Amino acid sequence: MRTILSGNPVGKGPKGAEPSPAEDVVLSQQDIERLRASDYTVAIVFHYLKTDYVRLQLDGLTTRFEDLGISVEGIYGSEFDARKQVDILNRIAAKDVDALVSIPIDQIATAKAYRNVAAAGTKIVFIDNVPQGFKHPDDYAGTVSSDNQGLGIFAGRFLRDRVGSGTVGLITFDAPFYVTSAREQGVRDILEPAEDVTIVAEEGFTDPDEVYDIASDLLATNPDLDGLFVSWGDPPGTQAADAALDSGMDDLAITTTGLSTDTATNIAKDGPIKATGAQFPYQQGRIEADMIANSLLANSTPPFIASGVLPIHRENLLDLYPTYFQTGPPEEITVYFDQ
C-alpha cells in the first residue's frame, strides 16, 4: 500500500485531520482468521454509481470484503440527492447491519441519518466526507480519501502553465462537500496569485448531469477565455469539453480532477481536457475495507488516511492508466497514440 502514498499528501482531511499511512490499518493473519470465523455484514452507500471512480472503488471494496469473509448486504447509489441518501441510511439503520462504508453527499443534510445508523451500533467508515457533528473515534472509525488539495494543486499548476498568460474560468460544485472544496481551494491557491493568469468567471452546479448548459452559458459570456477548471471530470468535465467544442472554442484548455474512460479518451485524443489530478480508487476501496475490518475487531483506527496524486496528462497517460484502472489501456485509447 505504501506506493499510493508517494508524493507526501499536502492536504489535511475533514476536520483538519493529518493524513495517516495505509499501513495503520493492515490486518494480521490472526485478524483475518477471526473475521472469517464471524458472520459480519456491511452496506455500501455511494453518492453516485455512474462513474469509473465508483466502479473501481467498489471493485476494491467487494474483493477485499470477500477475502475477509464479510458479506455485502447491499450497494446503494443516491444520485447526488441528499434526501434519497437519507432514506437509504434510515432503512439501513433499521436493519441488522454490522458496518457501513459511505460517502455523505451533504455533510449537514445527511448528518441525522448517519447518526441513526451509528446509534444502531453499526460501525462506519466514511469516504471523503464526514457529516457535521461526528467525532472520531466515538462516532466513526475513520475516513479514507485522496489528497484532494493536492489534486487541485496539480490541476491548477497545469492550467496555469498551459495558459501561460490569459484568462481562466472555474466551474465548481455548489454544495458543502469537503472533497470538492479542498480541490477547488488547491486550484485557487495556484491561480489566484499567478501574475499572468486571471480568473474572470465562475459558475457553480449541484447536478453533475446538467453542466453542459452551465458551461455553454459561461463560455458564451466569456468567448475569449483561455482555460477552464471543472471540479471533477465525468460527467461535469466531459460536458464542459463538449460545450467548448460546440461553442467553437477548440483551443480552450480544461483541467479537472478524477479519471474515467471518457476523461481518459478526451485527454488521449488531445481534446479540450488536457490534464487531471486523479486518485487511487481501487486501492482506496481495499483500505476502506481494512478500516471497517479493524473497527469490527475493536482495533484502533486513524481518523484519516489519504492517498497521493496521479498527475495525468497526455504524455504519461499510457504509463499511469494501469495504476488507476487496474488494466492496460484499451485500443480505444491507444489508437490515438499510433497515428
Side-chain angles (χ1 to χ4, degrees):
M1 291 295 187
R2 184 172 296 279
T3 56
I4 76 163
L5 298 174
S6 60
N8 298 320
V10 298
K12 295 183 179 181
K15 304 180 184 297
E18 293 290 343
S20 296
E23 286 77 7
D24 282 4
V25 292
V26 168
L27 297 160
S28 68
Q29 187 58 42
Q30 183 179 16
D31 288 334
I32 295 173
E33 290 172 1
R34 288 173 59 197
L35 290 162
R36 290 174 177 169
S38 303
D39 190 24
Y40 292 122
T41 58
V42 61
I44 303 172
V45 180
F46 269 95
H47 54 330
Y48 192 73
L49 293 177
K50 299 179 183 178
T51 67
D52 287 314
Y53 168 78
V54 171
R55 175 183 63 80
L56 289 160
Q57 278 228 45
L58 284 173
D59 284 349
L61 281 162
T62 56
T63 56
R64 185 55 173 163
F65 281 136
E66 184 177 0
D67 292 343
L68 301 175
I70 298 173
S71 300
V72 176
E73 178 272 339
I75 297 168
Y76 306 89
S78 308
E79 303 304 322
F80 268 98
D81 185 333
R83 288 177 297 180
K84 182 174 181 178
Q85 189 168 62
V86 165
D87 290 341
I88 293 168
L89 293 168
N90 285 332
R91 292 200 303 270
I92 290 172
K95 297 179 180 181
D96 185 18
V97 178
D98 297 302
L100 169 70
V101 180
S102 183
I103 176 169
I105 292 172
D106 184 314
Q107 63 195 47
I108 299 172
T110 62
K112 183 177 179 181
Y114 281 109
R115 183 70 64 186
N116 293 339
V117 174
T122 302
K123 305 294 185 182
I124 303 176
V125 165
F126 292 115
I127 304 169
D128 292 343
N129 207 16
V130 176
Q132 186 179 61
F134 272 63
K135 296 182 179 180
H136 179 274
D138 296 339
D139 301 324
Y140 66 105
T143 307
V144 179
S145 187
S146 57
D147 178 11
N148 291 290
Q149 187 177 353
L151 299 182
I153 287 173
F154 168 72
R157 286 174 175 167
F158 197 99
L159 188 60
R160 178 197 62 193
D161 295 346
R162 177 78 182 212
V163 169
S165 177
T167 58
V168 299
L170 307 178
I171 295 181
T172 58
F173 186 48
D174 193 13
F177 196 56
Y178 154 77
V179 169
T180 52
S181 296
R183 296 177 188 183
E184 292 157 9
Q185 187 58 53
V187 171
R188 295 181 198 278
D189 288 344
I190 298 300
L191 296 181
E192 288 178 352
E195 293 183 0
D196 297 323
V197 177
T198 306
I199 300 172
V200 296
E202 181 172 349
E203 293 292 341
F205 68 92
T206 54
D207 187 338
D209 287 315
E210 296 182 356
V211 171
Y212 178 89
D213 289 341
I214 292 171
S216 296
D217 291 343
L218 183 148
L219 297 176
T221 307
N222 300 272
D224 296 324
L225 209 64
D226 299 296
L228 182 68
F229 168 78
V230 184
S231 192
W232 72 91
D234 191 7
T238 54
Q239 288 194 8
D242 289 341
L245 294 176
D246 291 345
S247 301
M249 298 178 66
D250 298 0
D251 295 332
L252 184 74
I254 297 176
T255 65
T256 186
T257 63
L259 189 63
S260 70
T261 301
D262 287 346
T263 307
T265 301
N266 202 287
I267 293 172
K269 66 182 181 182
D270 200 20
I273 299 177
K274 303 302 181 184
T276 184
Q279 317 96 313
F280 294 77
Y282 176 82
Q283 297 89 333
Q284 287 174 211
R286 294 182 68 85
I287 294 168
E288 292 149 12
D290 282 354
M291 186 178 278
I292 280 288
N294 275 285
S295 69
L296 291 170
L297 297 173
N299 296 337
S300 63
T301 50
F304 179 58
I305 291 177
S307 64
V309 178
L310 275 176
I312 293 177
H313 46 87
R314 194 172 190 277
E315 287 69 27
N316 66 12
L317 175 62
L318 296 183
D319 291 333
L320 295 184
Y321 190 100
T323 302
Y324 186 91
F325 285 102
Q326 300 295 297
T327 187
E331 184 179 357
E332 289 80 2
I333 296 292
T334 60
V335 65
Y336 293 107
F337 294 87
D338 296 334
Q339 298 173 1

